[in-house]
Amino acid sequence: MELVKNVIGKELDEFEKKFADNVKGSNPLLDRIMRFIIRRKGKQMRPMFVFLSAKIAGSIRESTYRAAALIELLHTATLVHDDVVDNAMVRRNFFSINALWKNKIAVLVGDYLLAKGLLLSIENDDTPILRITSRAVKEMSEGELLQMEKARKLDIKEDIYFEIIRAKTASLLSSACSAGAYSATDKPETAEHFRLFGEKVGIAFQIKDDLFDYGEDNVGKPTGIDIKEKKMTLPLIYTLQHADRETKRKIIYIVKNQSTDRQKVNEVIALVRASGGIEYALQKMQEYHTEAIALLHQYPDSPERQAMEQLVSYVIERKY
């Protein structure tokens, strides 16, 4: 993503400093955990969407840095809480917060990050941006709960699947784009345009994640993790909708009762591949990608727009 770095590299470097200042702890334990989080942060993809959206829509202001920090604080908080809920011991190839400091401290750290984000916005009168991001947190919770409810019966249809991933995954990315655009323009209509753009990118992002579970050469190594966790992903939903009764019953039985058996999981993966589920998911991912780019092309060509296109392409071409 060389172009992305060329276009917003200076802003991202400045953001790193500001973010580190924003999360400083008020006691030794909290400060130690915050330094641990900063050292192990991911690719900063969501702040990239904030800054590029701002540059395409207008120009980067101080409020843009606060919007990026708020998005990153909320994102990090949800990851910390997710690791507690999932009892996950590893995050990005490192021990998770709950693995090192136990669940109670991890929950409190997530709460602290949420509070820091709220205070950052309130103290700077960024109410519209706070409203954008708060809506995303609400939708993420609703999406997660809907997925848990449907996972009990494995009866998720395609429309429900898209409702879940729009809320659970795409909402934070769409709020990053929306908040970035608003920070640069103060225009609700511009923020809404970039929200729709980010939503489509976020849905494509999640479909890409779905595909990692089925291990084609162009999507990564097969894992079957989603099947083991009884998650209904798009390739699996497509397969169940088009399978005969006996095959459908077999898949559901394996997912419900034998999802820890590697051989049985591989049987499901093979059935999904044979059904055309991979190709269908790839097609839907490309459709959302095309729709996102069409929204982006309503703005004039520029290095910023080209960098955003490169970032969107990375989302659907990444290998992990």
Side-chain angles (χ1 to χ4, degrees):
M1 294 192 289
E2 197 62 35
L3 181 58
V4 175
K5 292 176 183 176
N6 290 339
V7 171
I8 56 169
K10 187 177 80 171
E11 287 83 358
L12 287 171
D13 289 342
E14 183 66 20
F15 166 75
E16 288 281 357
K17 298 173 189 173
K18 291 177 182 291
F19 185 81
D21 287 339
N22 284 326
V23 299
K24 278 183 180 176
S26 56
N27 65 63
L29 173 61
L30 189 55
D31 201 47
R32 189 161 65 250
I33 296 172
M34 290 303 109
R35 288 200 305 271
F36 176 86
I37 287 173
I38 289 169
R39 286 198 303 270
R40 287 156 181 79
K41 277 163 58 60
K43 304 180 188 71
Q44 305 274 60
M45 191 170 67
R46 286 158 190 83
M48 290 179 191
F49 276 102
V50 172
F51 287 118
L52 286 174
S53 296
K55 279 203 167 188
I56 293 167
S59 59
I60 288 176
R61 304 173 180 174
E62 195 60 33
S63 59
T64 309
Y65 288 98
R66 293 195 297 270
L70 176 57
I71 292 292
E72 194 68 359
L73 284 164
L74 295 178
H75 177 55
T76 307
T78 58
L79 294 181
V80 172
H81 282 163
D82 282 350
D83 286 342
V84 173
V85 171
D86 297 337
N87 197 30
M89 296 293 107
V90 176
R91 166 70 62 180
R92 295 179 183 133
N93 296 318
F94 292 97
F95 286 118
S96 60
I97 302 296
N98 51 300
L100 293 172
W101 285 284
K102 306 304 179 186
N103 285 348
K104 185 174 182 179
I105 288 177
V107 170
L108 292 170
V109 166
D111 293 346
Y112 172 81
L113 291 166
L114 288 170
K116 292 291 280 188
L118 293 171
L119 286 170
L120 178 65
S121 295
I122 291 168
E123 290 170 355
N124 290 280
D125 293 323
D126 292 331
T127 305
I129 292 174
L130 179 58
R131 186 177 296 114
I132 289 168
T133 52
S134 297
R135 188 179 300 119
V137 175
K138 168 182 169 288
E139 291 180 350
M140 289 165 69
S141 301
E142 290 172 342
E144 188 74 50
L145 288 166
L146 179 58
Q147 183 178 56
M148 291 171 69
E149 177 190 359
K150 294 296 183 180
R152 294 175 185 174
K153 297 180 180 178
L154 301 182
D155 63 347
I156 296 178
K157 301 294 187 292
E158 193 171 313
D159 59 336
I160 299 296
Y161 163 83
F162 280 109
E163 181 183 342
I164 288 170
I165 67 168
R166 183 200 59 76
K168 183 183 170 185
T169 303
S171 60
L172 191 59
L173 194 55
S174 67
S175 70
C177 297
S178 182
Y182 187 88
S183 75
T185 64
D186 297 326
K187 294 180 179 178
E189 62 273 19
T190 303
E192 175 61 14
H193 183 90
F194 277 85
R195 185 195 70 78
L196 289 171
F197 161 76
E199 181 174 283
K200 292 181 185 300
V201 176
I203 291 172
F205 178 93
Q206 183 56 54
I207 297 173
K208 179 67 173 183
D209 261 13
D210 287 359
L211 287 163
F212 283 132
D213 221 41
Y214 297 93
E216 291 293 283
D217 288 340
N218 61 331
V219 296
K221 185 178 177 181
T223 62
I225 289 174
D226 288 335
I227 296 172
K228 291 174 187 174
E229 294 179 354
K230 300 179 175 62
K231 290 180 181 176
M232 296 292 284
T233 56
L234 188 56
L236 183 58
I237 290 168
Y238 176 88
T239 300
L240 288 171
Q241 287 178 338
H242 293 82
D244 59 57
R245 184 176 299 177
E246 183 179 344
T247 302
K248 182 175 181 179
R249 189 161 49 237
K250 177 181 180 180
I251 292 172
I252 290 174
Y253 183 83
I254 290 173
V255 174
K256 276 189 173 181
N257 303 296
Q258 298 175 312
S259 60
T260 58
D261 185 327
R262 183 70 220 183
Q263 186 175 343
K264 293 295 183 180
V265 169
N266 285 341
E267 285 184 36
V268 174
I269 292 173
L271 288 167
V272 169
R273 288 177 180 170
S275 75
I278 302 294
E279 291 78 6
Y280 179 74
L282 282 167
Q283 175 195 326
K284 297 300 288 187
M285 182 181 71
Q286 290 294 345
E287 286 175 9
Y288 278 100
H289 174 249
T290 300
E291 290 171 7
I293 296 302
L295 286 169
L296 193 60
H297 280 192
Q298 292 181 28
Y299 284 81
D301 189 20
S302 65
E304 291 78 16
R305 198 189 82 177
Q306 292 170 24
M308 182 69 93
E309 289 184 48
Q310 187 182 86
L311 183 56
V312 173
S313 293
Y314 167 78
V315 163
I316 67 168
E317 293 170 4
R318 62 199 161 94
K319 299 299 181 185
Y320 57 93

